[in-house]
């Protein structure tokens, strides 16, 4: 059950006309009163003799009794309470009881307070009610409404328990502001999938991903086609910014601007600047100098993805083993990597990666303060991805994309587990949802490179395949039979053969790859081991074709820098995956 407090208004009768009216798309059905401060309050929905004016005058009476100079300009309080789609349809009596509990909890009408504010609860749909109140008590004083939104949330959690309704995760005040009903209706009229607020939040997050200066950040905003309005102090210092979509206009045909802080708490200019500044004392503690802008050290998208995969692996270990501040920094920076990955991805993975980045945004913030010096590698990885440009969907580009998505999936699961252990329910759910989108993106990205690797494995001689099967049985006796039954077994055999040809010991690397995370719940153990082996052995993600030419669209890139990875990880991934 979700309560939403709307903006305060000045016209009681105007809100009543909307609540009792047909709605913007005839969605209001059988509008009627379910409860009010006075059981005899007129109901214009069910009583043909009652009028909006009668109900308005009854509600506004304490306001109008005050001298004109003491009346609040915004005296109309409006809250809606919506049940979850899977909840049963509640009766009018149930909604009336819920309305009374909400007005009592928020301070509008505390129990046994005969001088409380006047209010009415109106129902015009099966799944929700609207509560309207006037913010002057019968004794002429104003109500105490401190933290009424949080108190409404807490009361809804108790209502869910009492009525056996779906338990909604409690918020902690770190979520981005939700679009208003007016913004949602406007998006529907304009045929937008998302509201202007949501589109701008996504665009700003992409612009900040891996950026190292204000100049670069604002250049990216402009390149994205956004209108920018800067707030400058008399001294010339930049204090803040606002952005707007060029085609999002108000009634006067003026652009509708949103401040960064209203898009999300971490998108205000001061919070963005924190990403660019490593304090001297933090740098000293970290054993490094203050961070300076670094030019991307990449020769192509595939190389950038390999570096990002290595940084993501290290972030995984910090999330699992580091302190809370370091882990929070890694999770926040992981959002930048996902934004950069979505921005530069090929068409067949773009939609799922964009959704993963969009929902993971909620997981990137909590009340645990991120210690920014710990996120430098991931932020550099995001920068590398952006500056290396869009990828091809096939060849080494596509294979390294699958490799990075594979690791990003594990990172999202680790973030979900980290938040869950700290009772950050909304963040944990968001990270889990992002993981599901990454699962789908991986399946799209991995289809072509895995097909190539399977074909390579099928070309191995029976004797070589048998040698690798014997090796698998020796190293992973409890999983060997299952792995050989998977479609990806031949891809794993091909990779083991490539490891041997690269003068590595396949048994050592296979044992190391299997120890890094548990494998019992993997949908495809072969896929997981293929990418781990190709990373640890510094192999191309997709091998060259038999004629020694690049395989299907592979771009030439410099060989990846050696990546030293721990032999094992204590990260516990208990979720189902590929």
């Amino acid at each position: 059950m979700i309560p939403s407090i709307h903006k305060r208004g000045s016209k009681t009768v105007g809100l009543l006309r909307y609540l009792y009216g047909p709605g913007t798309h005839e969605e209001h059905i059988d509008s009627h009163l379910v409860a009010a401060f006075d059981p005899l309050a007129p109901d214009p929905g069910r009583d043909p003799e009652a009028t909006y004016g009668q109900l308005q005058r009854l509600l506004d009476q304490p306001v109008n009794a005050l001298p004109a100079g003491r009346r609040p300009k915004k005296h109309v309080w409006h809250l809606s309470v919506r049940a979850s789609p899977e909840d049963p349809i509640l009766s009018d009596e149930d909604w009336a009881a819920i309305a009374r509990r909400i007005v009592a909890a928020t301070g509008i009408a505390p129990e046994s307070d005969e001088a409380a504010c006047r209010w009415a609860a109106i129902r015009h749909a099966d799944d929700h009610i609207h509560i309207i109140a006037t913010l002057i008590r019968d004794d002429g004083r104003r109500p105490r409404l401190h933290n009424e939104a949080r108190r409404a949330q807490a009361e809804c959690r108790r209502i869910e328990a009492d009525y056996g309704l779906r338990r909604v995760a409690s918020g902690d005040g770190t979520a981005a502001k939700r679009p208003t009903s007016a913004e949602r209706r406007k998006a529907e009229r304009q045929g937008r999938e998302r509201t202007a607020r949501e589109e701008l939040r996504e665009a700003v997050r992409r612009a900040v991903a891996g950026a190292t200066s204000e100049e670069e950040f604002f250049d990216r905003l402009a390149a994205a086609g956004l209108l920018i309005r800067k707030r400058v102090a008399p001294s010339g210092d930049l204090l803040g910014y606002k952005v707007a979509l060029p085609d999002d206009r108000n009634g006067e045909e003026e652009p509708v601007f949103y401040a960064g802080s209203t898009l999300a708490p971490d998108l205000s200019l001061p919070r963005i600047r924190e990403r660019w500044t490593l304090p001297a004392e933090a740098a000293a503690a970290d054993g490094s100098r203050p961070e300076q802008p670094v030019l991307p050290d990449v020769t192509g998208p595939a190389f950038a993805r390999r570096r990002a995969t290595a940084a993501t692996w290290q972030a995984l270990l910090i999330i699992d083993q580091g302190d809370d501040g370091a882990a929070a920094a890694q999770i926040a920076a992981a959002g930048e990597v996902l934004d950069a990955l979505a921005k530069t991805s090929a068409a067949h993975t773009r939609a799922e990666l964009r959704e993963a980045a969009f929902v993971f945004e909620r997981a990137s913030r909590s009340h645990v303060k991120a210690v920014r010096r710990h996120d430098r590698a991931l932020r550099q990885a995001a920068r590398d991805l952006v500056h290396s440009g869009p990828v091809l969907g096939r060849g080494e580009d596509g294979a390294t994309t699958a490799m990075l998505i594979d690791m990003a999936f594990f990172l999202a699961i680790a973030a979900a587990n980290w938040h869950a252990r700290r009772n950050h329910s909304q963040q944990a759910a968001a990270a889990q949802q992002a993981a599901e989108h990454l699962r789908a993106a991986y399946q799209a990205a991995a289809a072509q490179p895995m097909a190539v690797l399977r074909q390579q494995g099928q070309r191995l001689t029976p004797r070589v395949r048998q040698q690798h099967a014997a090796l698998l049985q020796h190293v992973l006796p409890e999983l060997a039979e299952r792995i050989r039954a998977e479609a990806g077994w031949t891809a794993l055999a091909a990779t083991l053969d490539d490891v041997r040809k690269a003068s590595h010991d396949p048994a050592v690397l296979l044992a190391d790859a299997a120890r890094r995370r548990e494998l019992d719940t993997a949908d495809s153990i072969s896929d997981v081991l293929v990418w781990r082996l190709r990373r640890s052995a510094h192999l191309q993600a997709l091998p060259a074709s038999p004629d020694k030419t690049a395989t299907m669209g592979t771009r030439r890139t410099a060989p990846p820098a050696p990546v030293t990875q721990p032999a094992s990880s204590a990260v516990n991934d208990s979720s189902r995956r590929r």
Side-chain angles (χ1 to χ4, degrees):
M1 183 160 285
I2 301 173
S4 298
I5 296 179
H6 304 266
K7 288 183 178 180
R8 295 182 183 182
S10 57
K11 294 183 179 180
T12 304
V13 72
L15 180 55
L16 289 174
R17 289 185 185 279
Y18 168 73
L19 296 178
Y20 276 104
T24 55
H25 299 290
E26 303 294 329
E27 71 272 23
H28 295 177
I29 300 172
D30 186 25
S31 303
H32 60 282
L33 203 70
V34 294
F37 77 100
D38 183 351
L40 300 179
D43 181 8
R46 294 269 177 94
D47 182 357
E49 302 297 324
T51 66
Y52 301 140
Q54 289 173 338
L55 183 55
Q56 175 260 320
R57 285 190 292 274
L58 184 64
L59 291 172
D60 280 349
Q61 192 173 52
V63 180
N64 294 330
L66 292 175
R70 290 184 54 201
R71 298 172 190 171
K73 293 181 179 179
K74 301 285 187 179
H75 71 275
V76 182
W77 187 85
H78 176 204
L79 176 143
S80 59
V81 189
R82 186 178 300 273
S84 297
E86 57 268 39
D87 286 338
I89 295 176
L90 300 174
S91 67
D92 280 354
E93 291 74 19
D94 290 334
W95 279 118
I98 289 169
R100 294 187 185 96
R101 291 177 64 165
I102 293 293
V103 295
T106 55
I108 290 293
E111 291 184 19
S112 304
D113 187 346
E114 296 182 357
C117 295
R118 300 188 176 193
W119 60 274
I122 298 160
R123 183 180 188 182
H124 54 214
D126 287 338
D127 63 348
H128 70 279
I129 59 170
H130 291 260
I131 302 174
I132 177 175
T134 47
L135 296 178
I136 293 295
R137 293 162 46 88
D138 276 1
D139 58 11
R141 295 184 294 119
R142 297 193 184 190
R144 295 180 179 179
L145 297 180
H146 180 64
N147 280 336
E148 78 263 34
R150 186 168 296 180
R151 285 187 279 170
Q153 289 279 1
E155 187 62 29
C156 280
R157 302 295 82 78
R158 290 187 284 268
I159 290 169
E160 290 161 357
D162 293 344
Y163 284 79
L165 306 177
R166 176 184 174 235
R167 306 297 292 272
V168 176
S170 298
D172 60 2
T174 63
K177 183 178 179 181
R178 291 176 179 168
T180 65
S181 56
E183 290 170 349
R184 289 193 295 269
R185 291 194 296 270
K186 185 177 182 180
E188 290 174 3
R189 292 196 304 271
Q190 295 175 342
R192 297 181 187 272
E193 291 185 7
R194 293 174 178 161
T195 64
R197 180 188 300 275
E198 292 169 317
E199 288 189 21
L200 287 168
R201 185 165 69 242
E202 181 180 36
V204 173
R205 289 190 67 85
R206 287 190 178 189
V208 81
T212 57
S213 67
E214 287 182 12
E215 182 180 5
E216 182 180 5
F217 170 59
F218 284 114
D219 284 347
R220 289 188 186 183
L221 291 179
L226 303 187
L227 304 179
I228 307 167
R229 181 179 291 170
K230 298 180 181 179
R231 184 161 62 91
V232 182
S235 63
D237 294 333
L238 183 61
L239 300 178
Y241 72 99
K242 294 182 178 181
V243 288
L245 297 174
D247 57 349
D248 182 36
R249 305 272 170 162
N250 60 19
E252 287 72 41
E253 290 301 313
E254 298 171 334
V256 180
F257 281 89
Y258 294 80
S261 58
T262 65
L263 297 176
D266 57 344
L267 294 183
S268 67
L269 190 57
R271 292 290 300 278
I272 289 175
R273 282 171 171 159
E274 291 176 5
R275 311 179 191 213
W276 302 326
T277 304
L278 185 64
E281 59 272 19
D286 192 36
S288 62
R289 291 178 297 177
E291 184 176 8
Q292 299 293 329
V294 179
L295 294 177
D297 180 20
V298 295
T299 57
F303 188 35
R305 275 154 173 71
R306 293 196 71 117
R307 286 167 58 103
T309 301
T312 302
W313 170 256
Q314 296 298 330
L316 250 171
L317 299 180
I318 294 173
I319 291 172
D320 182 63
Q321 301 169 3
D323 60 33
D324 279 1
Q330 298 296 332
I331 294 172
E336 293 193 42
V337 171
L338 291 180
D339 285 321
L341 187 57
K343 183 177 182 178
T344 59
S345 60
H348 66 301
T349 60
R350 190 176 303 140
E352 292 292 350
L353 288 174
R354 182 185 177 193
E355 288 299 320
F358 185 79
V359 298
F360 191 82
E361 181 261 348
R362 180 66 189 97
S364 66
R365 288 187 306 275
S366 71
H367 283 301
V368 178
K369 183 174 177 57
V371 181
R372 282 294 179 183
R373 71 175 182 269
H374 292 288
D375 63 1
R376 301 170 72 188
L378 271 187
R379 295 202 67 248
Q380 182 64 41
R383 181 172 174 79
D384 290 350
L385 291 172
V386 171
H387 281 266
S388 66
V391 297
L392 301 173
R394 299 165 70 82
E396 188 72 3
D397 281 6
T400 52
T401 296
M403 181 184 291
L404 176 54
I405 296 173
D406 176 79
M407 186 58 74
F409 172 90
F410 277 123
L411 189 146
I413 290 295
N417 293 338
W418 185 85
H419 281 303
R421 289 193 297 270
R422 288 154 183 81
N423 298 316
H424 302 165
S425 54
Q426 289 188 349
Q427 291 90 334
Q432 187 65 52
Q433 188 178 358
E436 293 307 312
H437 287 295
L438 288 169
R439 183 200 302 273
Y442 171 81
Q443 291 168 349
Q448 186 266 340
M450 278 298 172
V452 172
L453 288 168
R454 287 196 295 270
Q455 291 171 5
Q456 178 180 326
Q458 290 164 1
R459 290 195 295 268
L460 296 174
T461 65
R463 182 179 63 83
V464 172
R465 281 203 302 271
Q466 183 57 40
Q467 289 174 347
H468 292 314
L471 172 68
L472 181 69
Q473 183 66 42
H474 174 71
V475 177
L476 301 175
E478 71 285 358
L479 294 174
E481 184 177 352
R482 174 181 167 183
I483 292 173
R484 288 197 302 271
E486 293 179 346
W489 155 239
T490 54
L492 178 57
T495 296
L496 289 169
D497 204 55
D498 288 339
V499 169
R500 178 185 59 80
K501 291 176 180 177
S503 301
H504 295 287
D505 186 334
V508 172
L509 291 187
L510 181 60
D512 183 46
R515 283 196 301 268
R516 290 179 181 176
R517 293 179 75 88
E518 58 87 18
L519 296 170
D520 290 340
T521 59
D523 290 343
S524 175
I525 299 175
S526 303
D527 280 26
V528 178
L529 293 176
V530 162
W531 298 126
R532 292 180 186 179
L533 287 168
R534 304 198 79 84
R535 280 198 309 269
S536 59
H538 318 309
L539 301 172
Q540 278 192 300
L542 196 63
S545 60
D547 62 1
K548 305 300 182 184
T549 59
T551 305
M552 291 193 290
T554 300
R555 300 183 185 184
R556 292 185 177 273
T557 65
V563 179
T564 303
Q565 297 178 345
S568 64
S569 167
V571 178
N572 179 25
D573 175 16
S574 58
S575 301
R576 291 282 299 167
R577 62 148 300 169
R578 289 174 297 284

